[in-house]
Amino acid sequence: VLPLVSVNQILLLLLVLTVCAILYNKVHQVPLALRNETVDLESPEEVEEEIPVVICAAAGRMGAAVAAISSIYSNTEANVLFYIIGLKTTIPHVRKWIENSKLKEIKYKVVEFNPMVLKGKIRQDASRPELLQPLNFVRFYLPLLIQKHEKVIYLDDDVIVQGDIQELYDTKLAPGHAAAFSDDCDLPSTHEMVRSVGMQNTYMGFLDYRKQAIRDLGISPSTCSFNPGVIVANMTEWKHQRITKQLEKWMQRNVEENLYSSTLGGGVATSPMLIVFHGKYSSINPMWHIRHLGWSPDARYSEQFLQEAKLLHWNGRYKPWDYPSVHTDLWENWFIPDPSGKFKLTRPDS
């Protein structure tokens, strides 16, 4: 038999525990909404997904990069992080331009591209030397320049974005695909433009089918090409498939065997991508890459079509900051003058 004192002590302890339990419930019995709010405040804040956008800032066309960035930033509420890629000599200029304009609000990183990675990989081509500029090949090296992101958007500098960049970022990539591009046969409205300026939109226009190495690929010359001026890329797949190494292999073969040149389709950076990504890429919504605006100073799209477009691309020789060029008003909407005065628009009255 337990002594009476021990029983009383146990009862007293139980009573104290019961009172504590009641008080605890009273204190913590707050309305559900407040309770959720309290939990939210205590849990780490949910970070909005970052959208990395890569754009090159090249000497002599820095105003293009600025206009592209300005158009993206003005048309989205998304959390965009701009990676501005430049050479050592051009980086101070673009930094000053951003910091001394309304673009100082953007989130950005300036990354230096070392052209030494291209040593021995580019065949000198006198017909269009501007296509051999080192920054044209930045898209080959995305995983080396952008470290922490799974998905990345790459844009040529001669574009403006009229839609919400979040839409482009949400492009679905099929399993096993390292990138999404726009097919050159994807939009009926552009076919007339392509015909009128004599532009090629098949592999025949980019690769030299007289060469055995090209014929050995087994790719029909009438296969639709794609345009790598707008890319949505999966970095994990890119690294897994060693895409950069594959592209470099074809660059080196071209140096040795002259498999493609800028006298063909107009881009020594496009041809290796056509080979490496053949049959292994996803598609971008055609309205997210309306191109060929720079192929002729005479060929024009309808205004209504251009207003519906999400992204406009002045690929070709006739750039909207130069003269002659077409649809320059749409581009100039987003241009921000250079505070240093170095970059100037070329206009008929200038």
Side-chain angles (χ1 to χ4, degrees):
V1 179
L2 283 170
L4 192 58
V5 175
S6 295
V7 173
N8 284 343
Q9 283 174 334
I10 290 166
L11 287 171
L12 184 61
L13 184 62
L14 287 171
L15 182 64
V16 169
L17 289 172
T18 306
V19 169
C20 286
I22 292 166
L23 285 172
Y24 181 87
N25 282 339
K26 287 269 187 209
V27 169
H28 289 267
Q29 214 165 24
V30 291
L32 189 62
L34 287 178
R35 224 184 307 161
N36 286 347
E37 210 169 280
T38 308
V39 171
D40 281 348
L41 287 172
E42 287 173 355
S43 67
E45 196 177 321
E46 197 174 302
V47 179
E48 191 186 357
E49 188 175 22
E50 229 167 33
I51 297 180
V53 176
V54 178
I55 294 182
C56 296
R61 42 194 291 163
M62 214 163 280
V66 167
I69 291 166
S70 164
S71 69
I72 294 163
Y73 180 64
S74 303
N75 286 308
T76 189
E77 295 293 318
N79 181 21
V80 180
L81 173 59
F82 292 98
Y83 282 87
I84 302 166
I85 317 292
L87 301 178
K88 195 171 191 174
T89 51
T90 60
I91 282 173
H93 186 189
V94 74
R95 226 186 251 288
K96 188 174 177 185
W97 200 327
I98 288 167
E99 294 302 335
N100 291 286
S101 72
K102 66 178 184 183
L103 290 182
K104 62 177 177 285
E105 306 295 328
I106 68 170
K107 280 171 65 179
Y108 74 102
K109 289 181 180 178
V110 176
V111 180
E112 183 185 336
F113 182 66
N114 184 354
M116 288 307 292
V117 300
L118 301 171
K119 198 171 182 205
K121 299 185 186 83
I122 301 177
R123 186 184 185 89
Q124 291 309 309
D125 192 324
S127 63
R128 288 194 66 189
E130 76 276 11
L131 295 174
L132 303 176
Q133 295 301 323
L135 294 179
N136 266 341
F137 301 91
V138 159
R139 70 198 94 191
F140 290 14
Y141 296 95
L142 292 175
L144 300 179
L145 298 162
I146 315 301
Q147 301 295 334
K148 61 174 188 166
H149 302 281
E150 168 74 8
K151 198 175 187 184
V152 171
I153 293 172
Y154 167 88
L155 299 176
D156 275 354
D157 60 0
D158 51 358
V159 309
I160 59 153
V161 173
Q162 302 186 134
D164 184 343
I165 199 77
Q166 179 79 52
E167 271 181 51
L168 181 60
Y169 185 74
D170 290 341
T171 299
K172 294 277 187 289
L173 272 68
H177 285 177
F181 306 99
S182 286
D183 276 311
D184 279 330
C185 306
D186 62 6
L187 201 61
S189 318
T190 66
H191 293 175
E192 195 55 48
M193 172 76 89
V194 169
R195 277 196 295 273
S196 70
V197 297
M199 185 192 164
Q200 292 288 344
N201 62 352
T202 63
Y203 273 57
M204 171 79 92
F206 292 88
L207 306 177
D208 188 347
Y209 275 82
R210 293 169 302 180
K211 301 288 165 73
Q212 191 60 44
I214 296 300
R215 292 200 300 274
D216 287 347
L217 290 167
I219 301 171
S220 164
S222 61
T223 302
C224 262
S225 51
F226 57 78
N227 186 301
V230 176
I231 309 172
V232 181
N234 177 316
M235 293 292 93
T236 304
E237 278 297 335
W238 194 291
K239 287 182 272 195
H240 175 67
Q241 296 178 34
R242 299 168 64 84
I243 297 290
T244 299
K245 285 279 175 228
Q246 291 188 58
L247 291 165
E248 287 185 324
K249 181 191 89 169
W250 282 102
M251 288 167 82
Q252 274 161 335
R253 285 198 71 173
N254 183 56
V255 169
E256 294 154 16
E257 302 172 53
N258 196 18
L259 303 175
Y260 51 83
S261 79
S262 60
T263 51
L264 287 162
V268 285
T270 298
S271 301
M273 296 196 92
L274 291 177
I275 296 169
V276 170
F277 283 101
H278 174 251
K280 291 187 293 188
Y281 65 91
S282 298
S283 291
I284 287 171
N285 175 335
M287 295 308 281
W288 268 101
H289 195 176
I290 302 303
R291 48 210 179 277
H292 317 316
L293 277 77
W295 273 84
S296 162
D298 305 312
R300 298 178 70 88
Y301 286 115
S302 78
E303 291 303 322
Q304 186 189 345
F305 177 66
L306 291 178
Q307 279 167 12
E308 290 167 6
K310 307 282 190 175
L311 181 147
L312 302 175
H313 188 185
W314 279 262
N315 57 315
R317 293 172 187 263
Y318 301 97
K319 303 300 185 189
W321 54 90
D322 276 337
Y323 180 82
S325 53
V326 294
H327 303 297
T328 50
D329 52 327
L330 291 170
W331 183 85
E332 261 190 75
N333 281 340
W334 307 108
F335 175 67
I336 297 168
D338 181 0
S340 73
K342 288 181 201 165
F343 182 94
K344 291 185 174 69
L345 302 182
T346 307
R347 294 295 178 251
D349 50 358
S350 62

